[in-house]
Amino acid sequence: MSSNINSIAKLLDIAELELAKPENVSEDYEDLRKKIIDKGILCRNKGEYNNHFLWDLWRKRKRNGIANITSNNISEDEFKKIKRDLINFTKKIAQGNTQKVFDEIVDGFKLLKEQGKIQYVYRAAIARVFCTFYPDEHINWVTRDNIKDINIL
């Protein structure tokens, strides 16, 4: 059963609990973070997004360098089904850190859900991709409307 996060305070409480878990603390976090951010820069510059990078960005559950998403994340089957969409979403995110781009990506996920290709609109994964490409600006698109529908399973 899922519960909606309906306040910033509740979101912060959950984040604090998650950060306190030993499995979410990594000694080599900064190295992992640097590697995925550097991969993002390289891919953006080349305009090419290989399978390994897409997997780390959208699907990998732990130790991707930005954020662990251990539940309510894209499944392996979903990843395979929507890989072309993920490439397009990634390219779009890499080109702009705006509310408009965020809304377009969320709408794209909503459409994929309506088509039965995915089970959820994976907002945490979307946020993680923005954080990868814009590590110093990653919160400028976070608004109450953007985070009010985040679900915790």
Side-chain angles (χ1 to χ4, degrees):
M1 179 178 231
S2 67
S3 62
N4 279 329
I5 296 173
N6 54 17
S7 72
I8 298 296
K10 186 173 180 182
L11 176 64
L12 293 173
D13 288 344
I14 291 169
E16 190 173 293
L17 288 172
E18 287 298 311
L19 289 172
K21 292 179 180 177
E23 65 269 19
N24 289 336
V25 178
S26 170
E27 290 180 15
D28 58 354
Y29 168 78
E30 286 301 322
D31 288 338
L32 291 169
R33 184 174 186 269
K34 182 176 177 0
K35 283 179 185 177
I36 195 158
I37 290 170
D38 288 348
K39 283 182 194 177
I41 292 168
L42 182 63
C43 289
R44 178 175 35 206
N45 290 342
K46 286 184 172 184
E48 299 172 7
Y49 300 87
N50 65 42
N51 286 339
H52 184 74
F53 179 66
L54 288 171
W55 181 269
D56 285 351
L57 203 57
W58 291 99
R59 169 74 178 104
K60 193 170 187 179
R61 295 187 181 272
K62 291 187 177 184
R63 298 180 49 81
N64 90 324
I66 300 296
N68 292 342
I69 306 174
T70 56
S71 64
N72 199 20
N73 194 19
I74 299 168
S75 73
E76 187 171 351
D77 288 339
E78 289 172 329
F79 180 85
K80 290 175 184 175
K81 284 182 198 173
I82 66 167
K83 186 175 159 195
R84 288 183 189 182
D85 298 290
L86 293 176
I87 291 169
N88 291 332
F89 294 159
T90 305
K91 286 180 179 180
K92 187 171 287 231
I93 291 169
Q95 297 307 313
N97 183 27
T98 66
Q99 182 68 46
K100 181 179 182 230
V101 171
F102 177 82
D103 292 342
E104 288 173 6
I105 302 304
V106 170
D107 289 344
F109 270 87
K110 286 178 180 176
L111 180 61
L112 292 170
K113 183 180 175 194
E114 288 170 13
Q115 294 170 344
K117 293 180 180 178
I118 59 175
Q119 192 173 10
Y120 303 102
V121 175
Y122 297 105
R123 290 176 185 264
I126 295 168
R128 184 166 72 178
V129 176
F130 272 92
C131 292
T132 300
F133 285 103
Y134 308 99
D136 297 328
E137 309 167 34
H138 71 282
I139 62 167
N140 75 355
W141 51 265
V142 175
T143 65
R144 288 182 185 272
D145 286 340
N146 291 347
I147 63 172
K148 71 178 181 184
D149 295 326
I150 293 175
N151 290 305
I152 302 297
L153 295 179

